[in-house]
Amino acid sequence: MSSFAGRMKEYPNISLDRFDRENLHARAYFLSHCHKDHMKGLKGPLLKRKLKFSLTVKLYCSFVTKELLLSNPKYGFWEDHIVALELESPTQISLIDEASGEKEEVVVSLLPAGHCPGSVMFLVEGAQGTVLYTGDFRLAEGDASRIDLLHSGSRVKDIRSVYLDSTFYDPRYYQIPSREACLSGIRGLVQDWLSKSAYHVVWLNCKAAYGYEYLFTNLGEEFHTQIHVNSLDMFKKMPEILSHVTTERATQIHACRHPKDEEFMRGTRLPCGMWASDGTPLKIISIKPSTIWFGERTQKTNVIVRTGASSYRACFSFHSSYSEIRDFLSYLQPINIYPSVIPIGRTHADVTELSDGLFEQADLAPVRKRLMIQEIPLTNLPHPPVDLVHLPLTPISTADYLDCTESNDEEDEEDEEDSDLGKEEEEGERVEKKREGMEGSDSVSSPCWEEFFTTEILTDSQNNSQNSQPPTCSHTIPSIPISAGLGLNQADTMLIQSEDICQGDATIETGWKESASHTPQTEPVNLSESQMSSDFEVPSTPDSHPPGPDDLLVLYRSLAAGENVELTKLDTNRLIHQ
DNA sequence: GCGATCAGAT
DNA sequence: CACATCTGATCGC
């Protein structure tokens, strides 16, 4: 969850994704996407009052975000103060102090973020340099090179600071299967189940948040059915999504939700009931999108995990993985990086508490050892505070991954009463397939997920014509691969064994169904070589140029003091070359 | 009665 | 561990 306070050092007159406290004084507001944790204060009475008396204060966001925001009446008072901007269209914005008339000019561009519909990053250019606020994002490796506005001619722009979605900027989340791989896994599971009979239905147990829509549209397309959801209101101007959802419950794919009693209806009931219209009981499996991550030095190619007789988890992430973030940062080479997210599972108190006893050699030794056998020179990426926080907690050692038990061992055994279902499902078991690692070139067609995530809405006078000319996918800039193609080792096999032990017979691992039989071109979405290959390549173990005890001490004192730690290149060099 | 904050839930 | 909420309790205005 974002803990970004709302303002950037370079441009303190604007506020992004935070609207309370100091941000009440901002001259302009920016909303990167329509998730509640980025909307703090946005419906507050203080802000409401400020708007009433202001002629110049605006909220800038994408068209889709505007539409989603205004579909909630609580934000209706923003209507006359929202300026929707086109993607990748630099826009000059005057930041006017209404009291003094003082003025500052900035040029802001919205870049696709791939996090949820309408999500964008904000590129701000002005007298204090070029800075990038990423909001939340999921970009695949190499995507930065496809965003024109990050470049000036054939060069990457000089970026002073990146305000970073660091949700998974932690080696523990080194690799997350790509969107395409996750979608393929889900598609395969759904295919197996739905094909059994018309009474076999799938419940996608999605959280109450935007970001699953591409799942709906892709599955809807694939299975020629609409997805049952609670409400269509927010999508009424988004035909691309609207055409794939319905409030009619007579469909085989559901993503409906029930406010109260989700827990006891998992598996054998749908939130909307358990009987077909003719009285036949439905045969239901639930698929819960979750973020699965890869342990140190392991590689999971399975994206579906069975967690009960009729329940599954499917890998699904709204956020870029550690390696995707590193790729992004190594491409942009910003001077400063400001992580916006407190490490998952850690609170500020944790950080404070951890600053004792961190510097024992025993904790750092395994990291150093790994470093010595590191064969691949990695880029001079800074290690942000989040990394440092985790190093002592998850010391890297070669012995660790064998007992690696990820989250799945604690999955509840859900309704087992229907043993019939359980048996049937085992037929759906899938063999893992791997693709040998190869660095992809970006010369083939780009995936353009970004285009989906920023699907422009239909206004009365518009149609979708702009969708036919994706502006976001140029191929002129070669990507800089940072992961080394080490190829596969036995790690994933071992991991699967360990999981089997953990979970017993109830768990069936299913992997990506095909790989040889599908060519990327036959997929509903064109996949680039680089994206296909990156899913199955085993990246080298995350580097660690370990900071020395002195460096850690300085950083931890800052962290413990609650300071906003700024890691600059200077710091990085100190850390790396100490 | 509303907002802010926190604990606890999925 | 939890992606992003949602609900309910408590406190203060």
Side-chain angles (χ1 to χ4, degrees), chain A residues 189 266-267 286-288 290 292 304-314 407-416 425 503 505-509:
Chain A
L189 175 58
R266 273 183 304 182
S286 72
I287 303 176
K288 183 170 187 166
S290 319
I292 296 177
I304 304 289
V305 177
R306 189 170 169 205
T307 57
S310 53
S311 52
Y312 296 80
R313 285 208 176 211
S407 59
N408 309 315
D409 57 340
E410 50 170 337
E411 285 306 319
D412 355 290
E413 229 23 65
E414 287 160 8
D415 315 77
E416 298 264 17
E425 282 161 53
Q503 297 172 54
D505 294 333
T507 297
I508 296 171
E509 302 283 344

Side-chain angles (χ1 to χ4, degrees), chain A residues 1 136 164-170 173 319-320 325 340-344:
Chain A
M1 303 288 256
D136 284 351
L164 180 75
D165 168 20
S166 51
T167 303
F168 293 137
Y169 197 10
D170 177 316
Y173 318 106
H319 298 272
S320 276
I325 295 171
S340 65
V341 176
I342 289 173
I344 289 169

Side-chain angles (χ1 to χ4, degrees), chain A residues 168-343:
Chain A
F168 293 137
Y169 197 10
D170 177 316
R172 289 177 69 180
Y173 318 106
Y174 191 64
Q175 175 72 285
I176 296 171
S178 71
R179 225 189 284 286
E180 293 78 20
C182 296
L183 181 60
S184 275
I186 294 170
R187 185 192 290 128
L189 175 58
V190 171
Q191 167 71 53
D192 287 347
W193 190 246
L194 295 195
S195 64
K196 289 174 191 298
S197 88
Y199 298 107
H200 284 72
V201 301
V202 166
W203 178 43
L204 303 170
N205 181 0
C206 299
K207 296 216 156 77
Y210 299 118
Y212 301 99
E213 291 74 14
Y214 79 83
L215 194 54
F216 304 162
T217 58
N218 279 279
L219 292 177
E221 198 104 334
E222 174 82 14
F223 299 104
H224 309 291
T225 183
Q226 289 182 307
I227 285 75
H228 180 222
V229 297
N230 286 24
S231 168
L232 309 181
D233 292 346
M234 58 289 271
F235 304 129
K236 57 180 181 286
K237 291 188 184 167
M238 300 176 217
E240 182 63 26
I241 296 173
L242 192 62
S243 65
H244 291 105
V245 293
T246 179
T247 51
E248 294 293 324
R249 51 181 223 91
T251 173
Q252 279 184 283
I253 303 180
H254 294 251
C256 44
R257 291 180 305 109
H258 194 284
K260 201 67 192 164
D261 42 9
E262 265 186 12
E263 70 284 300
F264 72 80
M265 63 176 67
R266 273 183 304 182
T268 54
R269 278 194 59 178
L270 291 174
C272 62
M274 58 187 300
W275 310 95
S277 50
D278 65 1
T280 310
L282 296 171
K283 295 186 185 280
I284 302 158
I285 57 169
S286 72
I287 303 176
K288 183 170 187 166
S290 319
T291 303
I292 296 177
W293 52 89
F294 294 75
E296 185 65 26
R297 294 187 75 223
T298 63
Q299 167 82 10
K300 280 175 100 170
T301 54
N302 53 300
V303 297
I304 304 289
V305 177
R306 189 170 169 205
T307 57
S310 53
S311 52
Y312 296 80
R313 285 208 176 211
C315 179
F316 196 95
S317 179
F318 293 162
H319 298 272
S320 276
S321 66
Y322 181 82
S323 61
E324 286 166 342
I325 295 171
R326 286 191 56 127
D327 176 72
F328 185 73
L329 294 176
S330 73
Y331 188 77
L332 297 182
Q333 295 282 326
I335 295 171
N336 306 308
I337 296 170
Y338 300 92
S340 65
V341 176
I342 289 173

Side-chain angles (χ1 to χ4, degrees), chain A residues 503-538:
Chain A
Q503 297 172 54
D505 294 333
T507 297
I508 296 171
E509 302 283 344
T510 64
W512 197 23
K513 188 172 199 168
E514 40 63 49
S515 68
S517 61
H518 274 185
T519 59
Q521 288 72 23
T522 63
E523 297 288 330
V525 173
N526 287 331
L527 309 178
S528 72
E529 285 283 332
S530 63
Q531 285 205 318
M532 295 293 284
S533 62
S534 64
D535 304 338
F536 296 92
E537 173 190 342
V538 173

